[in-house]
Amino acid sequence: MISLETIEQARERIVKHIRSTPLVMSAALSELIGTQVSLKLEHHQLTGSFKLRGATNAILQLSQSERNRGIIAASTGNHGRALSYAAQAMGSRATICMSRLVPENKVSEIRRLGASVRIVGSSQDDAQEEVDRLVAEEGLSMIPPFDHPRIIAGQGTLGLEIVQAMPQVAAVLVPLSGGGLAAGVAAAVKAVRPEIKVIGITMERGAAMKASIDAGHPVQVEEHRSFADSLGGGIGLANAWTFQMCKILLDEVVLVDESEIAAGIRHAYEYERQIVEGAGAVGIAALLSEKLAHVEGPIAAILSGGNIDMALHRNVVNGLNTIGEGS
Ligand SMILES: *Cc1c(COP(=O)(O)O)cnc(C)c1O
């Protein structure tokens, strides 16, 4: 378990380097659901997602010589962006390894954030092998995306901000993939007020944490394309932290399908004036679907990220409800 004190220390450590994001009441959702619903606008975080919190907390705890040697990861998504930005801001240097199949816009985005990019092989596994080699041969520090106490504590700072801004909150809706965000937020809010319900929301297409909790141990699930691309990937068969924490701390895990996620993205845009990515819209999606009708408010939903391709966003706003395997 990760203590409230550890999360409070993380908050002190990172507070100058991140944005404390607003929590705003949603008139539209409150009226629809019949209880106060507030949205934590974490897609306004620097780099466009909460991943900056954990990445910053982890980098700030490296020794000076580790920071000088640099950090490394194989993520081209929000974790890779956050690491690239945080490393540059803290005088370190990130190396991001990726396969040659990664699209050029992602490569240039990571470069723009100051990381050096290494293109190796033709799969994520090849990129990970290069990471392992550079860790062993050059002493770079690998920073994992979710399964690490410093990452979990960093993400938990979001939970502290929610209970401070909304002391009467009764339920928190957390987008769930590897579980770093959910474990950290649940540890934080339940340490302050154990009766607060924390509900993980994830996509039907590849719900690895849900399947693992049901099985009683980490399992792999088949992955498909989804609007919530940031929720893709497994929890790791050797999961050391987030599986146990999510199993114990989450009151419930709710699944949403693709058309529900699309409706969440549309609602965020049309009624809240917010541009969120699929992963960031799953809380709204679950509320709109009425799968949370039994949950008592006041409710806070975390909008975890905003990094969506704008052409895709336009298509969703115009009514696109499914994302094909090949499209
Ligand atoms: C990574 C990510 C998540 C899921 O976080 P986990 O800690 O892996 O559960 C949710 N939303 C966005 C936008 C993300 O980037």
Side-chain angles (χ1 to χ4, degrees):
M1 276 297 150
I2 289 172
S3 70
L4 181 58
E5 193 188 358
T6 303
I7 300 171
E8 284 170 340
Q9 285 164 353
R11 176 153 168 81
E12 261 172 57
R13 193 176 290 121
I14 70 175
V15 72
K16 295 194 300 289
H17 302 280
I18 62 143
R19 279 190 192 141
S20 300
T21 50
L23 183 72
V24 299
M25 225 260 290
S26 162
L29 285 170
S30 300
E31 195 180 306
L32 191 75
I33 307 301
T35 184
Q36 186 192 328
V37 177
S38 290
L39 304 174
K40 178 70 170 161
L41 306 185
E42 186 67 9
H43 59 301
H44 291 311
Q45 187 53 262
L46 300 165
T47 74
S49 87
F50 70 89
K51 292 268 190 341
L52 187 66
R53 294 173 184 261
T56 302
N57 190 45
I59 293 174
L60 286 173
Q61 287 177 87
L62 296 175
S63 69
Q64 193 57 52
S65 71
E66 284 171 325
R67 264 193 247 178
N68 291 346
R69 283 197 296 275
I71 61 162
I72 187 159
S75 162
T76 59
N78 287 336
H79 179 59
R81 297 168 71 115
L83 281 181
S84 304
Y85 176 94
Q88 173 153 285
M90 274 154 267
S92 183
R93 180 175 178 75
T95 302
I96 305 292
C97 300
M98 52 186 90
S99 89
R100 78 178 102 77
L101 301 182
V102 171
E104 182 52 38
N105 62 327
K106 287 209 169 183
V107 179
S108 55
E109 174 65 12
I110 294 280
R111 282 211 177 96
R112 193 184 65 74
L113 289 164
S116 77
V117 171
R118 246 173 214 255
I119 300 192
V120 267
S122 53
S123 72
Q124 181 70 12
D125 287 349
D126 292 343
Q128 188 56 47
E129 260 177 44
E130 179 71 357
V131 169
D132 296 341
R133 188 184 72 76
L134 288 164
V135 168
E137 291 175 11
E138 296 181 22
L140 302 190
S141 298
M142 183 175 69
I143 304 201
F146 55 85
D147 197 26
H148 191 286
R150 291 173 180 173
I151 298 291
I152 298 167
Q155 322 305 31
T157 62
L158 241 168
L160 292 184
E161 288 176 23
I162 291 172
V163 280
Q164 266 161 20
M166 194 179 181
Q168 75 286 16
V169 66
V172 182
L173 311 183
V174 191
L176 173 67
S177 176
L181 178 63
V185 166
V189 304
K190 287 185 185 252
V192 177
R193 282 214 4 251
E195 67 275 20
I196 298 176
K197 300 271 188 274
V198 179
I199 301 170
I201 320 274
T202 193
M203 60 196 184
E204 270 176 15
R205 286 190 180 178
M209 183 63 84
K210 166 83 171 137
S212 300
I213 291 173
D214 290 349
H217 56 89
V219 295
Q220 262 168 332
V221 298
E222 204 186 317
E223 277 192 55
H224 303 278
R225 276 199 87 200
S226 168
F227 286 123
D229 55 322
S230 294
L231 300 184
I235 70 165
L237 293 178
N239 189 294
W241 288 87
T242 60
F243 169 65
Q244 284 297 335
M245 289 184 72
C246 287
K247 191 163 86 119
I248 293 165
L249 295 173
L250 292 185
D251 294 277
E252 203 178 329
V253 176
V254 169
L255 306 184
V256 287
D257 68 23
E258 292 304 304
S259 67
E260 288 165 342
I261 297 170
I265 294 172
R266 271 195 295 276
H267 173 95
Y269 185 66
E270 287 169 4
Y271 294 91
E272 317 292 344
R273 312 286 161 134
Q274 303 295 335
I275 295 172
V276 295
E277 59 177 282
V282 294
I284 295 178
L287 287 167
L288 296 174
S289 75
E290 297 176 5
K291 287 175 182 168
L292 299 177
H294 58 288
V295 174
E296 282 177 34
I299 297 174
I302 298 174
L303 309 190
S304 54
N307 293 321
I308 184 169
D309 177 78
M310 286 312 290
L312 176 63
H313 189 269
R314 256 190 315 276
N315 289 336
V316 171
V317 166
N318 288 331
L320 181 69
N321 268 323
T322 58
I323 187 160
E325 289 295 314
S327 64

